[in-house]
Amino acid sequence: MTPIVKICGLSTPGTLEVALMAGATMVGFVFFERSPRNVGFQQARALGAQARGRARIVALSVDADDDALSRIVEQLSPDILQLHGRETPSRVIEIRQRFGRSTMKAVGVATPQDFAAAAPYDGVADFLLIDAKPPADAMLPGGNGRAFEWALARDFRPRTPWLLSGGLDPDNVAEAIAATGARGVDVSSGVESGPGVKDEARISAFIAAARGAFAHASEGVG
């Protein structure tokens, strides 16, 4: 698949513009009130208008009901609905059919056995997001800035395009791509100076490092 670089949790026009200009292929906006990256609908509309046609727009939600998803689709009109909760495969299918949007299902992993949890979504979701499993006491879903052992994903080859997430940053994303063979990466806290505060320099550095690593892998070097 064409390499994907996704910057998630964007919330300001300035940092979004940096991501777009640097070559992000997906930009993500969070609709989850407990997250420091949560955006309101008015804010999301403006950011979506800025990004439309320049990158694929992703709306992240966690176990959202149909009413909540309807509002997200109405206000942001995303290209992709990222499902970061405990949505079942049947729920993923239902969401895709009801809202007519591509879906991305996040699956948390920490051990080789955890990859089995992705199997029921393979061929069901349009994208898989392989993220670090959150700690037992975590207040938020997702990797919470932690990485899993990348070597575990080396032989992960689903039919569905997949992105690697969890603990990535500008300094380690090239290593992560080389270790996993991933053709897509997703970052949020790894390009922040504080919770929910995106850092423009780190965004640019991450995208440059990821794109360089993908090009290196395509050349068959190393």
Side-chain angles (χ1 to χ4, degrees):
M1 76 179 193
T2 302
I4 295 171
V5 183
K6 176 172 175 282
I7 307 297
C8 197
L10 292 157
S11 59
T12 68
T15 54
L16 172 58
E17 190 63 27
V18 167
L20 294 168
M21 291 297 291
T25 52
M26 292 185 181
V27 289
F29 306 107
V30 175
F31 295 87
F32 185 58
E33 289 185 358
R34 296 210 305 269
S35 171
R37 301 163 190 90
N38 184 59
V39 293
F41 289 119
Q42 182 176 353
Q43 185 181 13
R45 281 197 304 274
L47 294 170
Q50 181 181 347
R52 198 162 317 282
R54 303 172 68 189
R56 280 180 282 185
I57 298 170
V58 184
L60 184 156
S61 63
V62 181
D63 296 316
D65 60 21
D66 285 348
D67 287 344
L69 290 172
S70 292
R71 290 205 68 192
I72 291 170
V73 169
E74 176 185 331
Q75 299 295 326
L76 178 63
S77 189
D79 300 299
I80 301 167
L81 292 171
Q82 179 175 332
L83 309 173
H84 227 289
R86 298 180 180 180
E87 299 89 357
T88 63
S90 61
R91 177 61 174 155
V92 174
I93 293 171
E94 178 186 12
I95 288 170
R96 195 187 199 290
Q97 293 176 341
R98 181 180 294 271
F99 298 102
R101 310 289 161 144
S102 297
T103 56
M104 179 184 294
K105 183 65 184 83
V107 178
V109 301
T111 69
Q113 292 72 29
D114 289 327
F115 283 91
Y121 299 96
D122 190 10
V124 171
D126 296 281
F127 300 91
L128 297 174
L129 179 70
I130 300 303
D131 202 355
K133 182 177 285 188
D137 59 349
M139 297 299 292
L140 299 172
N144 288 265
R146 300 186 181 193
F148 64 91
E149 187 179 345
W150 294 322
L152 298 177
R154 185 69 207 180
D155 297 321
F156 182 62
R157 293 293 179 269
R159 294 169 293 163
T160 301
W162 69 282
L163 287 73
L164 176 70
S165 188
L168 300 179
D169 61 36
D171 297 323
N172 67 18
V173 65
E175 178 187 354
I177 290 168
T180 61
R183 297 294 288 164
V185 290
D186 176 29
V187 68
S188 186
S189 62
V191 292
E192 292 180 348
S193 58
V197 182
K198 289 291 187 286
D199 182 283
E200 295 183 1
R202 290 181 67 80
I203 290 172
S204 295
F206 181 90
I207 295 172
R211 289 170 67 91
F214 286 134
H216 188 77
S218 296
E219 293 166 358
V221 180

